Amino acid sequence: MKSTVFIALPGDEPLAEALAESLGGIVAMLEYRRFPDGESYLRIHDSLDDASVVIVARLARPDPKIPALLFAAELVRDLGASRVGLVVPYLPYMRQDTRFHPGEALTSASFARWISNVFDWLVTVDPHLHRYHGLDEIYSIPSTVVAAAPALADWISTNVRRPVVIGPDAESAQWVEAVAGQAGLAWRVMRKQRFGDHDVRIAAPDLDGLKEHTPVLVDDIVSSGGTLAGAVKVLVETGLATPHCVVVHGLFGEASRKTLAAAGVQQVVCTDSVAVLEGVIELAGLLAPAVEEILDD
Ligand code: R5P
């Protein structure tokens, strides 16, 4: 592999170091601070001449991070990088994948254009593909999607006795099926209707023959917490034990933990795609081979 330099956005250094170690690359430090007026200052002290550079950025709550990311990508190219990739375990702005109301911004497509303009490739984990069938519908650079399912399945098999994997809505079927398939578990999917950011109604699945199992709700994202809270309430009303909740991306929007606690959820286990305490399922081991493959290409 050509000399590969990993550079993290502030706070994401452990993931950059883990990838560099596993792939035999080196880490360069991004000096980042804000000027007194809030504008960004960036500097890289290392030489990047002809290097293949990988920028590692966890982009939950993305708005304050986006300028730094775009500046960093242009900076490394200015400093001589021959190729600039992005490892973005949580890819934001995927849920505004249509204009739900006239006049709305199609932010998924705009964000994809910004990223495609400054990066040569990207690797992400379980992006929210609902109305889009693949990232290439909006991203014009090569992208690799890593599935967190093996890591989620491992966690469930190790920590839950006799699990049945349940998705809270039709969109979750893709993740639920993959997780259950990895671990050879039964799975079901519920039906959800959304009436607003915080208002969802969910119907129970057919759980005949599974009432003695431990329910494990699996979803790609927890944001307001409304989906998981609603699903937990319905499952408990049907006589099941309080479900475990396992989610890929723990966004935990404002008041979400309160919403979840009110529904009896004591813990939502997530991957470390987002910097939250609940992010105990590590993704570096799944990301490394995907990054290696794209670097070798
Ligand atoms: C929906 O399409 C997603 O898969 C998640 O179910 C949803 O984003 C969770 O959001 P919230 O926690 O706000 O209900």
Side-chain angles (χ1 to χ4, degrees):
M1 192 197 301
K2 190 175 188 176
S3 135
T4 304
V5 181
F6 291 81
I7 296 177
L9 281 203
D12 298 333
E13 293 80 3
L15 180 55
E17 282 157 18
L19 291 173
E21 193 180 326
S22 133
L23 300 177
I26 55 166
V27 176
M29 203 194 80
L30 171 69
E31 185 184 333
Y32 175 82
R33 65 180 170 83
R34 286 187 190 273
F35 287 107
D37 60 2
E39 292 183 1
S40 295
Y41 171 92
L42 293 86
R43 184 174 179 191
I44 292 168
H45 295 262
D46 305 71
S47 156
L48 298 176
D49 214 15
D50 206 28
S52 179
V53 172
V54 180
I55 296 185
V56 176
R58 292 190 294 177
L59 291 185
R61 298 186 184 261
D63 290 11
K65 302 174 187 169
I66 290 170
L69 180 71
L70 301 178
F71 288 139
E74 294 211 329
L75 172 61
V76 300
R77 225 181 276 278
D78 289 348
L79 295 178
S82 55
R83 211 171 164 217
V84 188
L86 173 64
V87 174
V88 55
Y90 169 66
L91 187 62
Y93 280 112
M94 287 301 293
R95 282 175 295 168
Q96 189 70 23
D97 55 3
T98 188
R99 293 184 215 281
F100 297 95
H101 304 286
E104 284 181 349
L106 191 58
T107 46
S108 52
S110 301
F111 185 70
R113 273 192 298 274
W114 298 349
I115 295 297
S116 301
N117 280 341
V118 293
F119 287 97
D120 296 314
W121 55 263
L122 76 84
V123 171
T124 190
V125 179
D126 291 329
H128 187 84
L129 291 172
H130 181 201
R131 288 166 190 86
Y132 299 125
H133 298 104
L135 289 179
D136 54 3
E137 285 182 40
I138 45 173
Y139 283 81
S140 57
I141 51 174
S143 57
T144 302
V145 168
V146 172
L152 268 49
D154 258 15
W155 189 91
I156 293 169
S157 304
T158 310
N159 293 284
V160 184
R161 203 185 60 85
R162 237 179 140 199
V164 51
V165 183
I166 301 176
D169 54 25
E171 287 124 283
S172 66
Q174 52 187 306
W175 301 290
V176 169
E177 190 175 1
V179 169
Q182 282 279 331
L185 303 172
W187 61 278
R188 296 287 184 274
V189 168
M190 305 170 84
R191 269 172 297 119
K192 176 175 89 177
Q193 279 180 286
R194 186 177 279 285
F195 299 93
D197 286 352
H198 297 269
D199 183 11
V200 292
R201 269 160 245 171
I202 298 178
D206 174 7
L207 290 161
D208 273 0
L210 295 168
K211 286 271 164 68
E212 302 308 314
H213 285 57
T214 309
V216 182
L217 276 165
V218 168
D219 206 356
D220 62 332
I221 288 172
V222 56
S223 175
S224 71
T227 299
L228 286 181
V232 166
K233 279 188 201 149
V234 170
L235 292 174
V236 170
E237 275 162 19
T238 65
L240 265 73
T242 304
H244 291 264
C245 295
V246 181
V247 167
V248 181
H249 307 295
L251 303 184
F252 293 104
E254 221 177 292
S256 60
R257 289 184 174 85
K258 235 189 205 168
T259 303
L260 291 160
V265 179
Q266 286 176 1
Q267 188 195 20
V268 180
V269 171
C270 310
T271 73
D272 60 357
S273 69
V274 181
V276 284
L277 285 177
E278 294 88 341
V280 295
I281 301 176
E282 291 180 6
L283 290 173
L286 292 175
L287 285 165
V291 175
E292 183 170 34
E293 192 172 317
I294 210 159
L295 287 171
D296 283 347
D297 198 359

